[in-house]
Amino acid sequence: MGVLQRIAIAYLVAALCEIWLKNGDDHDVRDVNVDPESSLLRKYQLQWAVTLMICIEFLLVLYGLHVPDWEYQISTNDQTTSVSALKTFLVKCGVRGDTGPA
């Protein structure tokens, strides 16, 4: 997936958390604003728990998944001899947790 698709999924998850993870006493219009005595962290504790779980899962996949080296072949046609040959390319990954450029 591309960057925009991942951002769209993040917005979808955030919207679903906001819809489904509301406290039972949030039906009153006066209670929509955060009161000084109720902390913002306490009011949205379920959303914070989901956020923490998603971050932990992302880090586990990023640093726990090993990406092996791989290769692919492209057939090349020589116009002068009309012989088809396979050209092999090696993609050197063999890393875990690398966020640098490809």
Side-chain angles (χ1 to χ4, degrees):
M1 276 193 278
V3 172
L4 293 177
Q5 288 84 7
R6 289 182 284 188
I7 292 172
I9 289 173
Y11 272 108
L12 176 68
V13 169
L16 291 176
C17 285
E18 185 64 28
I19 291 170
W20 288 338
L21 298 179
K22 289 209 176 232
N23 293 334
D25 59 349
D26 282 345
H27 298 297
D28 192 9
V29 176
R30 293 175 287 129
D31 197 30
V32 171
N33 294 330
V34 177
D35 297 328
E37 61 269 2
S38 78
S39 172
L40 184 65
L41 294 176
R42 251 185 289 133
K43 184 169 178 80
Y44 293 106
Q45 64 187 357
L46 290 174
Q47 284 89 342
W48 282 109
V50 169
T51 302
L52 184 64
M53 287 177 7
I54 290 173
C55 288
I56 288 172
E57 182 181 337
F58 173 75
L59 290 173
L60 285 174
V61 169
L62 179 66
Y63 292 110
L65 187 66
H66 177 73
V67 180
D69 296 338
W70 56 282
E71 62 182 35
Y72 63 97
Q73 296 177 343
I74 296 178
S75 63
T76 57
N77 292 330
D78 190 1
Q79 303 262 339
T80 58
T81 61
S82 66
V83 174
S84 179
L86 289 176
K87 190 169 186 179
T88 303
F89 294 96
L90 175 67
V91 178
K92 192 135 176 70
C93 292
V95 296
R96 183 181 313 231
D98 182 21
T99 58

